[in-house]
Amino acid sequence: MPRIVCSPLPLTYAVAASSALALVAIAGWACGILPLLCLMGLIILIPLLYGLQRLNGPSATGLWSVCLCIPFFVATYRPEQFHYPLIHHYSELDFDLFLNVGKMLTGYLLLTWLWQQERCQPWQRSVIIGLAAGLSLVLVAHLLFGYEWLPKWPHGTLYFFAVNLGATVLAEEAFFRLAIQRPLQRITGSQTLAVAATTLLFVIAHNPANLKAASLIGVAGLIYALVYSYSKRFSAALTCHFAVNALHFTLLSYP
C-alpha cells in the first residue's frame, strides 16, 4: 500500500512552521480567541502528522483516520459563551463575519504537512480552470437554484475576501482535498470513489438546512473535487472555491 502523504518541505522547515503555528495558537488561547480544547487538538495534531511521514501500509491508514477527526473537531467546536473575533458587521446584509482561528490554524497546519507539488496542468491553465468552474457554479446557483441576482460591493467586502480566502477556503480545501480526497484515492486506487466520498463528506460537514441547500452544496463539492482530480493542483481547487464564494457574495443574495 502506498504511503498516504508526502511532505514537500524538509523536515526541519515543517517542524519550524508547525512550531510557529503552535505559538500562534498558544497566543490565541492566551488572548481568549481560541478555546483550550482546540489548542490541545492543534498541539496533538503536529506529532500525528509527523508520524504520517514515517509510516506505510495499515499503520499509516489507521493514523490517517485519527488525523481526520482532530481538524474537524477544532474547526467546529464552540464552548458556551465563546465567540471567535468579529471582523465586520454587514448591516445591509444582516451578516457578521467572524475569524475562526481554530479552523484557520488547522488549515495551515495541514497545508504544512500534506501539500505537495503534483505537476499535471500548467499553473496558468489550472487557475483558468478554477475560475471558469467557479463562474459556472455561480450561474448554476442563479439559474437552477433560484439565488437572486443582486450585484453589490458593501463596505468591508475586502475583509470578506481576506478572511474567506486566508482562513475559510484554505482550511476547507486543505482538509477535503489534501487530507481526504488524495489519500483516499491512493488507498482505494479509485479516483471516482475518492471524488464521490469527498463530495458526500463536504455536504455533511456543511450541515445544510434543507434539500435545496444540500443539492447546491453537493454540486459545489463535486466541482471542487473534479477540478482537483483533473488538475492535480491544490491551487486550482482553492481558486475555484474562492471564486464561487467571492462571486456569490458580490453578485447573488447573501448569505
Side-chain angles (χ1 to χ4, degrees), residues 2-251:
R3 180 169 292 182
I4 288 181
V5 294
C6 179
S7 174
L9 296 177
L11 182 60
T12 52
Y13 291 141
V15 171
S18 298
S19 300
L21 290 170
L23 290 176
V24 172
I26 292 171
W29 167 73
C31 294
I33 61 174
L34 184 69
L36 178 60
L37 287 180
C38 291
L39 170 63
M40 295 173 62
L42 287 166
I43 299 299
I44 293 172
L45 186 60
I46 294 174
L48 295 181
L49 290 171
Y50 169 80
L52 281 178
Q53 315 307 316
R54 314 301 250 182
L55 297 176
N56 284 297
S59 299
T61 303
L63 186 56
W64 167 68
S65 62
V66 174
C67 286
L68 294 183
C69 299
I70 295 178
F72 184 80
F73 172 81
V74 172
T76 59
Y77 174 68
R78 300 284 191 285
E80 290 187 19
Q81 308 302 321
F82 175 83
H83 298 282
Y84 278 115
L86 176 66
I87 302 301
H88 190 73
H89 172 68
Y90 299 87
S91 55
E92 59 269 53
L93 303 178
D94 191 25
F95 168 67
D96 290 325
L97 177 66
F98 294 92
L99 176 61
N100 187 330
V101 178
K103 186 175 184 177
M104 178 184 68
L105 292 176
T106 303
Y108 282 105
L109 193 58
L110 292 174
L111 198 62
T112 296
W113 288 99
L114 303 184
W115 179 84
Q116 66 184 54
Q117 187 71 17
E118 294 182 277
R119 298 185 182 276
C120 180
Q121 300 291 337
W123 71 267
Q124 298 93 333
R125 184 180 299 176
S126 297
V127 170
I128 293 173
I129 291 171
L131 290 174
L135 179 58
S136 300
L137 186 54
V138 169
L139 292 176
V140 167
H142 172 59
L143 297 174
L144 299 184
F145 289 88
Y147 280 75
E148 184 181 357
W149 188 258
L150 189 64
K152 57 191 173 301
W153 190 276
H155 176 67
T157 295
L158 294 182
Y159 295 143
F160 176 86
F161 288 172
V163 171
N164 196 256
L165 176 61
T168 306
V169 172
L170 184 141
E172 290 185 6
E173 287 304 305
F175 181 68
F176 287 105
R177 271 6 104 199
L178 304 184
I180 298 181
Q181 184 175 341
R182 188 181 68 197
L184 191 58
Q185 180 172 334
R186 290 183 178 180
I187 291 172
T188 64
S190 172
Q191 179 173 286
T192 301
L193 179 59
V195 168
T198 307
T199 301
L200 177 61
L201 292 173
F202 187 83
V203 175
I204 294 173
H206 282 79
N207 191 26
N210 50 55
L211 181 60
K212 175 184 174 181
S215 300
L216 182 57
I217 292 171
V219 172
L222 177 61
I223 293 298
Y224 305 152
L226 289 175
V227 166
Y228 178 73
S229 180
Y230 172 72
S231 67
K232 298 295 189 296
R233 283 186 177 270
F234 175 77
S235 56
L238 185 74
T239 300
C240 181
H241 195 157
F242 175 65
V244 169
N245 289 1
L247 292 173
H248 178 191
F249 182 81
T250 55
L251 297 181

